């Protein structure tokens, strides 16, 4: 007989199209147990049933399961490589590029990309697809309002040029939005886009099982154009990248073979 947690996972998959079997179980179960206990439920099934009836509980549940921690220019030295090496190589033979910011959370990453391209690649025609599973964080990303701590690694010149402050809130310049399209996308379930020149997917893959990551890397490779590049987080290096059709271009940057 399936235990209470397994039954809840089945219900989550049916209801939210979120397959918890593809996340590392110890981390995910700990998060869900904390939420269950916080609201005074004894069983996972009863807790998720309550989530389905209460929009506030369901939003909290989704937010806790989809890891939403992000900053502008997170790991600045890697963004330096992106600016000075990766993008110049991608734009040697084309004046239009398409970038996919996958699992973009509250939008710091796609806005960082837009600022970089506006500032250092004037005249470049670009489109940024910014996706996440969690509709609530996508809605927040569209608003473009951030606490100052999110901007701690952003170059001062970019902060001054592209943000206006209102007390402790900093708003991204609305002009950046004209190149960004925010969409809901589930990396574990939905079809992947095609003809992408650069995929930026950072600090989310560490939460998936090896099986899930294998599938994602294969899908990423198919999504990229010839010579396209994948940019991952600083704890997400791809071992045996060639099995997915990549080679190491620079630390945490993988070029499609």
């Amino acid at each position: 007989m399936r235990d209470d947690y397994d039954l809840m996972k089945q219900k989550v998959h049916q209801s939210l199209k979120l397959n918890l079997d593809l996340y590392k179980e110890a981390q995910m179960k700990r998060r869900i147990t904390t939420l269950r206990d916080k609201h005074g439920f004894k069983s996972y099934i009863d807790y998720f049933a309550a989530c389905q009836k209460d929009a506030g509980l369901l939003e909290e549940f989704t937010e806790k399961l989809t890891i939403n921690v992000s900053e502008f220019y997170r790991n600045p030295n890697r963004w330096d490589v992106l600016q000075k090496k990766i993008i110049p190589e991608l734009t040697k033979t084309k004046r239009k590029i398409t970038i996919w910011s996958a699992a973009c959370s509250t939008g710091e990453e796609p806005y960082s990309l837009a600022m970089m391209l506006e500032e250092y690649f004037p005249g470049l025609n670009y489109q940024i697809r910014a996706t996440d599973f969690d509709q609530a964080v996508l809605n927040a990303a569209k608003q473009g309002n951030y606490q100052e701590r999110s901007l701690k690694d952003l170059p001062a010149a970019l902060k001054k040029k592209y943000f206006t402050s209102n007390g402790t809130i900093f708003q991204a310049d609305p002009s950046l939005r004209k190149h960004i399209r925010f969409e809901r996308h589930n990396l574990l379930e939905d079809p992947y886009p095609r003809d992408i020149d650069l995929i930026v997917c950072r600090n989310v893959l560490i939460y998936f099982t090896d099986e899930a990551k294998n599938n994602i890397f294969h899908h990423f490779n198919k999504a990229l154009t010839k010579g396209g590049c994948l940019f991952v987080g600083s704890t997400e290096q791809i071992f045996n990248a060639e099995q997915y059709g990549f080679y190491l271009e620079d630390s945490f940057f993988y070029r499609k073979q």
Side-chain angles (χ1 to χ4, degrees):
M1 182 177 178
R2 306 185 77 177
D3 68 21
D4 181 44
Y5 184 73
D6 284 340
L7 288 171
M8 183 215 64
K9 288 194 297 183
Q10 184 181 46
K11 295 288 186 183
V12 169
H13 195 195
Q14 291 169 347
S15 176
L16 302 180
K17 304 302 180 187
L18 184 63
N19 187 354
L20 298 182
D21 285 329
L22 297 177
Y23 288 79
K24 293 178 179 176
E25 178 150 318
Q27 295 172 336
M28 189 57 65
K29 191 171 185 178
R30 184 165 58 247
R31 286 172 178 269
I32 295 172
T33 302
T34 298
L35 287 174
R36 183 200 67 179
D37 294 349
K38 171 185 173 183
H39 294 289
F41 290 94
K42 298 298 183 183
S43 78
Y44 296 104
I45 284 289
D46 289 345
Y47 167 57
F48 186 65
C51 289
Q52 291 179 293
K53 297 174 183 176
D54 185 316
L57 281 179
L58 186 61
E59 181 175 333
E60 180 190 45
F61 179 81
T62 305
E63 286 182 356
K64 289 296 183 182
L65 266 59
T66 53
I67 318 302
N68 297 313
V69 178
S70 189
E71 297 167 356
F72 290 89
Y73 269 59
R74 189 172 181 175
N75 308 117
N77 59 328
R78 295 296 89 204
W79 286 84
D80 199 45
V81 173
L82 180 64
Q83 174 196 326
K84 295 178 179 178
K85 179 179 180 181
I86 303 300
I87 293 178
E89 289 176 353
L90 290 173
T91 56
K92 276 181 181 177
T93 59
K94 56 176 69 177
R95 293 304 298 164
K96 179 180 180 180
I97 63 170
T98 301
I99 300 172
W100 180 16
S101 174
C104 71
S105 187
T106 44
E108 288 89 338
E109 185 174 274
Y111 284 119
S112 293
L113 290 163
M115 282 185 281
M116 175 184 287
L117 295 172
E118 289 290 322
E119 193 70 10
Y120 302 110
F121 300 89
L124 178 67
N125 187 355
Y126 68 93
Q127 176 72 46
I128 299 171
R129 300 184 63 160
T131 67
D132 201 275
F133 175 81
D134 187 344
Q135 188 62 52
V137 300
L138 288 174
N139 292 341
K142 291 175 184 178
Q143 296 300 314
N145 295 319
Y146 299 95
Q147 297 287 337
E148 186 170 16
R149 62 178 179 271
S150 296
L151 285 72
K152 64 183 179 65
D153 288 329
L154 186 66
L158 297 185
K159 179 179 176 181
K160 182 178 180 180
K161 183 173 182 178
Y162 292 103
F163 285 87
T164 54
S165 62
N166 180 12
T168 60
I169 301 298
F170 287 74
Q171 182 173 45
D173 192 317
S175 68
L176 297 173
R177 278 291 316 280
K178 69 179 182 289
H179 291 286
I180 304 173
R181 189 167 78 228
F182 290 102
E183 302 172 318
R184 189 174 183 275
H185 183 272
N186 183 350
L187 285 170
L188 301 175
E189 298 274 347
D190 293 336
Y192 280 48
R194 289 289 185 268
D195 300 321
I196 305 296
D197 298 293
L198 171 66
I199 297 173
V200 185
C201 185
R202 309 180 71 220
N203 308 303
V204 67
L205 299 172
I206 54 173
Y207 298 103
F208 293 139
T209 64
D210 288 341
E211 176 192 355
K213 285 189 287 189
N214 288 343
N215 288 331
I216 289 170
F217 289 143
H218 282 299
H219 285 311
F220 277 162
N221 185 270
K222 291 178 182 178
L224 287 166
T225 56
K226 182 180 179 181
C229 196
L230 170 63
F231 179 19
V232 300
S234 58
T235 59
E236 298 173 324
Q237 58 265 47
I238 306 174
F239 300 104
N240 301 317
E242 60 277 0
Q243 70 178 304
Y244 308 111
F246 290 106
Y247 66 88
L248 182 65
E249 175 77 7
D250 204 298
S251 297
F252 313 111
F253 291 94
Y254 296 86
R255 182 82 64 177
K256 180 173 179 173
Q257 291 180 348

